[in-house]
Amino acid sequence: ALDVRAKLDQAVAGWRANTEHWLRMQALEVLDSLTPEDVPVALEVLATVKSDYGLHLALGKRIAILWGATEPVPALKWLVGELPREHRGDPMQAILTDWSQRTPQQALAWWQGVTDSLDFPIPEDAFERFESVIYSGWAAQDPASLVASLPALDSLEAFQHSEGIPGSEKFMGLATAAVNPTTRESTLAAIASIQ
């Protein structure tokens, strides 16, 4: 029955009342009942705790993911501007996972634009993981269009024994979706259609 600000105040108070990490994270679980419409109020509250580094970081990650469910581009832009580079990976991955399961080509276009920038938003060794996440979401959402976008290969045998084959991340996305019970049937059917 709490309103948005009361829930956020409860989360902040719970965090500050505890020193153990698991209890602090448990205090933040009240935020799971917030909706994307609650983001403006959440951002206001977040601004008031900026001097409390750990709390600001934990709240910021949750708010970014909540926001990203409906507005991934502004949420990701905010995340890059608000949180330190080494702490952006998990919330960015959560937003990209969700986004790629709804409109994968848009998520991929955003990500490719980011990777071309000079100010890379996450540690560069996470690049392949993020691209795999997007292609996995694409494969789960529309495996047929992902298959249609695959580059022509002389043979799948060449793909299996070579590094850096164009489209390898797309194949990995298909493989991931094929393992998932909810997307296995449609993904395998799309893979079977490869000529």
Side-chain angles (χ1 to χ4, degrees):
L2 297 174
D3 68 15
V4 178
R5 192 169 294 276
K7 287 178 182 177
L8 286 154
D9 289 344
Q10 182 182 1
V12 168
W15 173 281
R16 289 180 168 157
N18 292 289
T19 55
E20 292 198 42
H21 179 74
W22 72 273
L23 288 171
R24 286 181 156 185
M25 297 312 289
Q26 192 174 45
L28 298 185
E29 287 177 5
V30 70
L31 302 181
D32 293 344
S33 65
L34 298 182
T35 68
E37 291 74 32
D38 299 329
V39 167
V41 175
L43 291 174
E44 288 175 15
V45 171
L46 183 65
T48 68
V49 299
K50 198 155 190 172
S51 62
D52 189 336
Y53 181 77
L55 175 58
H56 182 263
L57 197 60
L59 271 179
K61 289 178 180 182
R62 283 181 177 260
I63 292 168
I65 292 168
L66 176 68
W67 190 2
T70 54
E71 296 182 296
V73 174
L76 288 162
K77 183 178 179 183
W78 176 86
L79 183 64
V80 169
E82 188 74 13
L83 297 187
R85 189 171 185 252
E86 64 273 16
H87 292 288
R88 299 173 191 160
D90 289 343
M92 283 184 80
Q93 182 170 336
I95 293 168
L96 286 169
T97 297
D98 178 65
W99 189 11
S100 67
Q101 291 171 355
R102 290 180 284 116
T103 52
Q105 288 91 338
Q106 289 177 7
L108 182 62
W110 181 87
W111 178 243
Q112 288 173 336
V114 165
T115 60
D116 290 339
S117 75
L118 295 175
D119 183 22
F120 202 68
I122 58 168
E124 292 189 26
D125 59 3
F127 173 81
E128 289 184 3
R129 176 171 53 111
F130 277 61
E131 192 140 314
S132 293
V133 160
I134 294 169
Y135 284 123
S136 297
W138 185 352
Q141 193 258 352
D142 186 3
S145 71
L146 180 55
V147 165
S149 76
L150 288 169
L153 298 174
D154 291 336
S155 72
L156 288 178
E157 186 176 335
F159 168 76
Q160 292 169 343
H161 300 297
S162 300
E163 294 289 327
I165 294 288
S168 60
E169 292 300 329
K170 294 180 181 181
F171 275 105
M172 291 305 297
L174 284 166
T176 302
V179 170
N180 185 334
T182 60
T183 55
R184 180 179 298 140
E185 192 172 326
S186 60
T187 305
L188 289 176
I191 292 170
S193 73
I194 298 174
Q195 298 291 324

